[in-house]
Amino acid sequence: MKQLLNKLKNMPESLKATLVFAIASFATSGINYITTPIFTRLLTNAQYGTVSIYNSWFAIVRVFASMTLIFPGVLNVGLYEHRDNRWKYLSTMLGVTTVTTAVLAVVTWLLADQVEHLLGLSGSLITLMLLMCLSQPATTFWTFKQRYEYRYKATFVVSVGSAVLAQVVAIAAVMLFDAMDYPHLDQVRLWSAGIVNIAVGMALFGVICRRGKTFVDIPLWKRTVAVALPLIPHYLGSEMLSSIDEIMIGRMVGEDKAGIYSLAAIISAIGVLLWRALNVMFAPFVNEKLGSRDFASIRRNVKPLLEMAGILCVVAALAAPEIIGLLATEEYSEGIYVVPPIAAGVFIHALYDVFSAVSFFHKKSMRIMIATVTAAIVNVTLNYIFILNFGYLAAGYTTLISNIVLVAMHYWNIRKIEKERIYDGKFSLLLMAAVVGGCLLCNLLYGMTLVRYLVMLGLFALMFVRRKGFIHALISMKNEK
């Protein structure tokens, strides 16, 4: 233990930050995995489906409420451009998100009946959604700034602490109201966790405003909105790619099936946890290297990151039966067959983050928008056709196809924006084919437990063999930044 602590203490700051961010990501999302078996047993399938539908609509509504400023593409570039006074930049951006959320709240109040019918949610949950839209940007802004500057200690405490507290409060509240035979446990589940997140967000709202000292900056607002406004269709399409499945399944098949599908989607997100931690290092690095036109460094260091993300996606698909068995009851078991395409889609999303960074850096809002809107239209169209004919499990495959369309269009954008080679296209294509093929083949292995375990063992061995290149990439990104 002493030797391990010494190794951790002497670890390079870049690797230490990435390790802590990875642990924080696993902890904050892992608490969902830990509590999922509780909620799948306390809530009915329909109530669990309502929770997932609320989360899906919230993901879409926050695009309008935040003016896309909470998303990495705009935020990372803003933190790079305003590196001399990032607190002022963030407090000014809070001014934008507060105004837009207030406008959205007024519109919602005036059209309350129509909004409730459209979303299929109660007025209480819509109110919660608006409060979250008001407070969440502060949490996102503060967290991104800390991660951008590799301040991992405070980020870990706030992100993990608030996630654990929110889940503990939610479990206690649901169990209490369940004992009272309260019929709307889905609302209890959402409000109890939401109150904790709103409180944390508003506290950070005060921190940012106090340090930034600027809430309104009309010239900066105009410049930011000019870039962000065309991105609304992009982020709307992006959220629809990840959220529309549950909404359409709930409307076309039933909320119980939406609950099963959302559980499978949660499991498949295991792969993206690592990518989120890695992207914390990659985003500042790629902006710096694009600015200095050092494309060779980008090309060299991104490969090990994508390899690790791809391996974890395949592992997640292989482990679907065991994880679903731990997280839920037998009635959710059919969800294992939707995990492989969703897991493959997680890797495709990682490729999207890599490729789209170039378009965001050059502020090519129209190119970004066209790619995402096209993919979203493909997704909705395929969902409508295949869910009706083949059932809700088809949604995972339609989303995978849509994400591949998205990545292909962004790679085309890169070739148009930059004449020089930024990424290794052949490597990316071969790795994508390997990961997608590996994930989809898992469907054939679910009846062969021993074979699956041997394959997983082999993948972990591969990760161990490739670890030096991965660690070297992380150190290089920090040193070359």
Side-chain angles (χ1 to χ4, degrees):
M1 180 61 70
K2 186 176 180 180
Q3 291 178 345
L4 178 61
L5 291 175
N6 287 334
K7 286 184 178 181
L8 292 174
K9 185 177 180 180
N10 297 324
M11 186 181 295
E13 284 298 306
S14 59
L15 187 57
K16 192 183 297 183
T18 300
L19 179 62
V20 173
F21 290 144
I23 293 172
S25 294
F26 274 98
T28 52
S29 297
I31 190 66
N32 290 327
Y33 302 138
I34 294 171
T35 58
T36 294
I38 299 173
F39 290 122
T40 54
R41 287 163 174 82
L42 288 174
L43 306 179
T44 65
N45 279 11
Q47 289 172 337
Y48 191 80
T50 299
V51 172
S52 67
I53 291 171
Y54 166 87
N55 290 329
S56 298
W57 274 118
F58 173 65
I60 292 172
V61 171
R62 68 178 182 169
V63 173
F64 298 100
S66 69
M67 284 291 292
T68 77
L69 300 179
I70 63 173
F71 296 100
V74 176
L75 191 51
N76 280 324
V77 174
L79 290 171
Y80 167 72
E81 292 180 340
H82 297 270
R83 52 191 175 277
D84 295 333
N85 195 343
R86 288 173 176 146
W87 285 119
K88 179 182 177 182
Y89 168 72
L90 293 179
S91 64
T92 306
M93 293 305 98
L94 277 181
V96 177
T97 61
T98 300
V99 170
T100 53
T101 300
V103 172
L104 187 63
V106 170
V107 173
T108 301
W109 177 71
L110 293 174
L111 303 173
D113 292 338
Q114 293 89 332
V115 172
E116 288 182 24
H117 178 72
L118 173 65
L119 273 57
L121 298 171
S122 66
S124 172
L125 291 181
I126 292 172
T127 300
L128 172 63
M129 191 179 296
L130 291 170
L131 291 174
M132 288 292 294
C133 287
L134 176 66
S135 60
Q136 189 194 53
T139 304
T140 303
F141 292 165
W142 183 88
T143 301
F144 264 78
K145 182 181 183 299
Q146 303 304 309
R147 290 186 173 186
Y148 205 96
E149 298 171 353
Y150 306 116
R151 301 178 187 274
Y152 51 86
K153 294 180 182 178
T155 307
F156 182 87
V157 172
V158 172
S159 60
V160 175
S162 60
V164 171
L165 181 60
Q167 294 300 317
V168 169
V169 171
I171 291 171
V174 170
M175 293 181 68
L176 175 63
F177 280 84
D178 183 44
M180 300 165 55
D181 293 326
Y182 186 70
H184 303 296
L185 294 180
D186 44 6
Q187 295 192 30
V188 174
R189 161 73 178 88
L190 291 166
W191 265 102
S192 53
I195 288 172
V196 175
N197 291 321
I198 291 168
V200 172
M202 295 312 296
L204 294 175
F205 194 111
V207 170
I208 293 173
C209 289
R210 186 172 67 252
R211 295 193 177 186
K213 297 182 174 61
T214 305
F215 196 66
V216 177
D217 185 332
I218 300 300
L220 181 56
W221 279 17
K222 288 181 177 179
R223 292 196 302 272
T224 302
V225 170
V227 176
L229 195 60
L231 289 174
I232 288 180
H234 157 69
Y235 281 112
L236 181 61
S238 181
E239 293 297 345
M240 288 180 67
L241 279 171
S242 60
S243 303
I244 198 65
D245 291 346
E246 286 92 338
I247 295 172
M248 293 186 72
I249 291 170
R251 290 290 180 94
M252 298 170 65
V253 184
E255 292 179 346
D256 56 336
K257 298 301 183 184
I260 295 174
Y261 185 90
S262 66
L263 182 70
I266 289 174
I267 295 170
S268 300
I270 292 174
V272 85
L273 296 181
L274 174 64
W275 180 251
R276 286 174 181 169
L278 299 181
N279 200 39
V280 169
M281 298 287 293
F282 177 73
F285 166 79
V286 74
N287 284 330
E288 293 286 346
K289 294 305 176 183
L290 287 172
S292 63
R293 301 192 66 77
D294 184 2
F295 301 151
S297 292
I298 299 175
R299 201 161 49 245
R300 180 177 62 252
N301 289 304
V302 73
K303 290 181 179 180
L305 307 188
L306 290 174
E307 286 177 355
M308 286 295 177
I311 292 171
L312 281 181
C313 286
V314 179
V315 169
L318 285 167
E322 287 74 23
I323 301 175
I324 282 192
L326 288 173
L327 293 182
T329 55
E330 182 67 24
E331 58 190 335
Y332 287 85
S333 61
E334 64 186 58
I336 63 172
Y337 295 104
V338 79
V339 173
I342 296 179
V346 170
F347 176 76
I348 302 301
H349 186 78
L351 273 180
Y352 152 77
D353 280 341
V354 169
F355 292 162
S356 65
V358 178
S359 299
F360 278 109
F361 180 82
H362 290 284
K363 299 181 180 179
K364 300 295 184 180
S365 300
M366 290 302 296
R367 288 184 178 273
I368 296 169
M369 179 195 70
I370 291 171
T372 310
V373 170
T374 300
I377 292 173
V378 170
N379 191 30
V380 172
T381 303
L382 293 179
N383 270 351
Y384 184 78
I385 295 170
F386 287 95
I387 290 176
L388 282 177
N389 289 282
F390 299 99
Y392 75 100
L393 295 178
Y397 295 90
T398 59
T399 300
L400 174 60
I401 294 171
S402 305
N403 281 322
I404 291 174
V405 170
L406 177 66
V407 166
M409 294 187 71
H410 273 289
Y411 186 73
W412 177 258
N413 285 343
I414 293 175
R415 301 297 297 270
K416 289 295 184 180
I417 294 170
E418 290 283 0
K419 300 304 180 184
E420 296 184 45
R421 188 167 66 102
I422 299 178
Y423 298 110
D424 188 335
K426 183 178 180 180
F427 167 84
S428 301
L429 179 62
L430 291 175
L431 183 60
M432 180 179 71
V435 173
V436 172
C439 287
L440 297 185
L441 283 174
C442 291
N443 279 309
L444 304 177
L445 300 179
Y446 288 146
M448 298 178 279
T449 304
L450 179 60
V451 175
R452 282 193 300 109
Y453 288 171
L454 290 174
V455 175
M456 280 191 279
L457 185 62
L459 290 174
F460 285 126
L462 179 60
M463 290 176 64
F464 180 78
V465 171
R466 304 291 293 172
R467 74 191 188 284
K468 290 184 179 179
F470 172 69
I471 293 172
H472 178 73
L474 295 179
I475 296 173
S476 296
M477 282 193 292
K478 172 62 176 177
N479 293 338
E480 295 179 26
K481 178 177 176 294

